[in-house]
Amino acid sequence: MLGRGLIKKAVAGAAAAAAAFVAVVALGATIFFALCLVVVPLAAAAITMLLFAVVAGTVAAVFLGAPDAGEEEHDEPEGLGARAFTLFRQRPILGTVAALAGGWIFLRNPALATMVAAAFTEKSHGRRRH
């Protein structure tokens, strides 16, 4: 049963994301109230916001930065999953839009979604000369 396993993974991922969100909000509140003991509340809010902005920028730079030198860049990833991963890694907004559009197409017409998936999983036969 592929569906049940996928649903369990989605629920576990959502629970982990919710727990991480609550932890970050609690950390922010703790930092804010600790700073309120030293500076005025407006300055504490500004310092807390600046701290979280720096952390978010650092995390984004680390995870979305240039690929490591050890990673090999393939000309064309094989399989639908590898193509989707490459799209999400290189262009996260476009990947998200493509995933939402694909989900909508699948809900509206599963046969059309199957044909699109088959077209994406076809292997290219190299460059053709005209």
Side-chain angles (χ1 to χ4, degrees):
M1 293 288 205
L2 181 64
R4 288 186 185 178
L6 186 61
I7 290 174
K8 286 181 182 180
K9 287 181 182 180
V11 169
F21 176 75
V22 170
V24 168
V25 169
L27 176 65
T30 303
I31 292 171
F32 170 75
F33 287 117
L35 286 172
C36 279
L37 297 174
V38 180
V39 296
V40 295
L42 186 61
I47 293 170
T48 303
M49 186 271 315
L50 182 63
L51 175 70
F52 275 83
V54 168
V55 169
T58 304
V59 169
V62 167
F63 285 107
L64 298 177
D68 294 337
E71 292 183 12
E72 295 180 14
E73 292 293 326
H74 297 289
D75 289 337
E76 187 175 324
E78 294 188 23
L80 186 60
R83 287 184 185 198
F85 177 74
T86 303
L87 179 65
F88 273 105
R89 186 169 181 194
Q90 291 175 352
R91 296 182 181 95
I93 294 174
L94 180 63
T96 303
V97 170
L100 290 173
W104 184 80
I105 289 171
F106 182 74
L107 288 175
R108 300 289 291 173
N109 190 349
L112 179 63
T114 304
M115 290 187 322
V116 170
F120 274 110
T121 55
E122 275 185 13
K123 290 186 179 181
S124 63
H125 300 291
R127 297 182 184 192
R128 295 181 180 160
R129 296 183 185 182
H130 294 281

